[in-house]
Amino acid sequence: MILDSIANLGQYAGLHPRFKQAVEFLNGQDVGRLEPGKYEIDGARLYAIVQEYETKPREQGVWEAHRRYYDIQCIVRGRETCGYAPIGSAEVAKAYDGDSDYALFAADGTFFELREGFFAFFAPQDVHMPGIAVDGPAPVKKIVIKVEI
């Protein structure tokens, strides 16, 4: 897992060949004006999902992990709490669904604040719980970039 400023995302371009395209997409957009929905950057290999939602209490959160895609979760507006746990310390609660590329887990993780202008990068070994309220339910706009492994 990586937590950093979106301004520094380009420094991680060497992690994967498609990261550079992800950075170019973010830098080439007025991300605040993007409407919710899916934006193909390189077909199924690289795409962005723009989301707008209200954060929820931690008790309603779900621990998840993916196998086919890395997640780059960028907060455009607002802030949320995210959870992180190494997959080796989590217990599978719902088996992996290949069509949806996720498994659900029971975990005892660490929580951190993800705020506007920052991103969290999650790899397959990173169980995560996004979308949790910081002080109480609040609106968030987020771009999740899915990078095929």
Side-chain angles (χ1 to χ4, degrees):
M1 191 213 62
I2 297 169
L3 174 64
D4 201 348
S5 168
I6 292 172
N8 296 331
L9 187 58
Q11 295 178 18
Y12 300 96
L15 292 176
H16 193 282
R18 285 186 271 282
F19 272 36
K20 183 178 179 200
Q21 288 176 280
V23 172
E24 289 169 353
F25 173 81
L26 288 171
N27 289 337
Q29 307 290 323
D30 181 351
V31 293
R33 292 182 183 259
L34 289 175
E35 293 294 320
K38 182 177 177 180
Y39 296 80
E40 289 190 5
I41 304 167
D42 187 14
R45 293 178 297 275
L46 179 68
Y47 60 93
I49 302 168
V50 176
Q51 305 170 331
E52 290 183 352
Y53 55 86
E54 187 164 286
T55 57
K56 58 189 175 257
R58 191 179 296 184
E59 306 81 57
Q60 295 176 16
V62 177
W63 290 100
E64 63 182 39
H66 313 286
R67 290 186 187 169
R68 287 195 336 249
Y69 291 91
Y70 296 116
D71 268 10
I72 304 172
Q73 300 193 11
C74 307
I75 300 293
V76 176
R77 190 168 43 252
R79 63 188 182 135
E80 67 182 31
T81 298
C82 290
Y84 159 78
I87 201 164
S89 69
E91 183 178 322
V92 175
K94 181 180 178 206
Y96 177 74
D97 178 337
D99 292 335
S100 300
D101 186 40
Y102 77 92
L104 299 181
F105 293 84
D108 183 22
T110 302
F111 289 85
F112 60 92
E113 184 177 318
L114 186 58
R115 63 184 191 265
E116 189 172 319
F118 284 79
F119 75 93
F121 167 79
F122 298 106
Q125 70 271 15
D126 301 326
V127 176
H128 51 286
M129 180 191 289
I132 304 304
V134 175
D135 297 318
V140 165
K141 184 170 189 175
K142 178 195 277 186
I143 298 177
V144 179
I145 299 182
K146 304 294 276 186
V147 182
E148 187 177 52
I149 295 171

